[in-house]
Amino acid sequence: ETGVTQSPTHLIKTRGQQVTLRCSSQSGHNTVSWYQQALGQGPQFIFQYYREEENGRGNFPPRFSGLQFPNYSSELNVNALELDDSALYLCASSSWGRDTQYFGPGTRLTVL
Amino acid sequence: KNQVEQSPQSLIILEGKNCTLQCNYTVSPFSNLRWYKQDTGRGPVSLTIMTFSENTKSNGRYTATLDADTKQSSLHITASQLSDSASYICVVSSFSGGYNKLIFGAGTRLAVHP
């Protein structure tokens, strides 16, 4: 186990709805990255948070947004859900300046 | 465009046999290359990490190689076990724009049969 936790484990939503996914980073880690992994594909980088600010972003639209809290935990928010948003959402924590990322178990989102 | 390509897409082997998975990448600048193991429905777990100057790295029955000139890497699994059944993902790290970006391959899905 990596010490990174995510909630919920599974989630079912309908098109147009909004969803919030949560991640608690490993103790001592101050950086959180979020990834989207479609079935049969490798994870795609969404964004990274450090010091409660977005520090880098992949090719995802603005309806994907995030937050990082003072305790370094993080949320991923997705508005106006689309069918293609169905995927495993992974969060990974790390220490700033070190590129070893530890992944959580993921949240499986299904959009109907 | 930064890309990581893996082959084969899937592989079935018998327990006890060896296998080799391939990874080709076009990523610049290059920081390091990792192989991850991802069990179904779980997050990836790092197996090995290699920097530009390293040619090989072992972790138990897993041995990774890196040829930075040809931008190729391989993961060799020796004496496979049923628990090796998983997806193996090649990940190249590139530090640019002030942060470390991970570029993932699509993975090779390995099934080990008794």
Side-chain angles (χ1 to χ4, degrees):
Chain A
E1 299 298 326
T2 63
V4 180
T5 60
Q6 292 186 242
S7 63
T9 305
H10 297 87
L11 200 54
I12 299 174
K13 292 284 188 178
T14 57
R15 277 184 303 174
Q17 285 189 310
Q18 177 267 342
V19 68
T20 298
L21 311 182
R22 295 177 176 84
C23 171
S24 292
S25 59
Q26 184 176 101
S27 177
H29 287 176
N30 54 17
T31 304
V32 175
S33 303
W34 285 92
Y35 297 86
Q36 180 195 66
Q37 186 176 22
L39 198 62
Q41 300 295 317
Q44 298 292 316
F45 175 69
I46 302 175
F47 43 54
Q48 182 182 85
Y49 275 82
Y50 170 63
R51 288 187 174 179
E52 302 175 48
E53 291 188 359
E54 187 179 293
N55 184 56
R57 190 178 185 94
N59 189 27
F60 281 82
R63 60 189 184 85
F64 285 78
S65 63
L67 285 173
Q68 187 180 34
F69 300 99
N71 67 354
Y72 307 124
S73 66
S74 177
E75 287 182 355
L76 164 65
N77 299 289
V78 187
N79 294 322
L81 284 167
E82 301 176 358
L83 296 179
D84 286 348
D85 295 334
S86 295
L88 180 69
Y89 287 85
L90 296 164
C91 118
S93 77
S94 58
S95 295
W96 180 253
R98 296 190 168 193
D99 68 359
T100 300
Q101 296 188 11
Y102 297 85
F103 286 85
T107 293
R108 172 71 63 186
L109 172 65
T110 301
V111 182
L112 302 177
Chain B
K1 181 181 177 182
N2 287 332
Q3 283 188 317
V4 176
E5 296 188 354
Q6 294 187 240
S7 62
Q9 187 174 29
S10 62
L11 185 62
I12 300 174
I13 62 174
L14 294 177
E15 187 178 12
K17 297 296 185 182
N18 304 336
C19 66
T20 300
L21 315 179
Q22 301 291 341
C23 172
N24 296 336
Y25 63 92
T26 54
V27 176
S28 182
F30 173 90
S31 293
N32 58 57
L33 184 147
R34 296 175 185 271
W35 283 91
Y36 279 86
K37 177 185 179 186
Q38 185 175 22
D39 293 311
T40 301
R42 308 294 296 270
V45 176
S46 181
L47 294 174
T48 64
I49 176 173
M50 288 179 292
T51 59
F52 185 87
S53 59
E54 295 177 292
N55 300 120
T56 185
K57 184 72 69 76
S58 290
N59 178 2
R61 294 180 296 103
Y62 301 103
T63 299
T65 65
L66 173 64
D67 185 334
D69 292 329
T70 62
K71 298 187 177 181
Q72 296 180 327
S73 176
S74 67
L75 180 69
H76 186 75
I77 304 175
T78 304
S80 61
Q81 300 176 357
L82 298 178
S83 60
D84 292 333
S85 295
S87 285
Y88 291 84
I89 305 176
C90 173
V91 185
V92 179
S93 176
S94 179
F95 189 85
S96 66
Y99 70 98
N100 210 44
K101 184 177 181 181
L102 301 185
I103 299 101
F104 289 75
T108 292
R109 184 173 297 277
L110 174 66
V112 180
H113 289 182

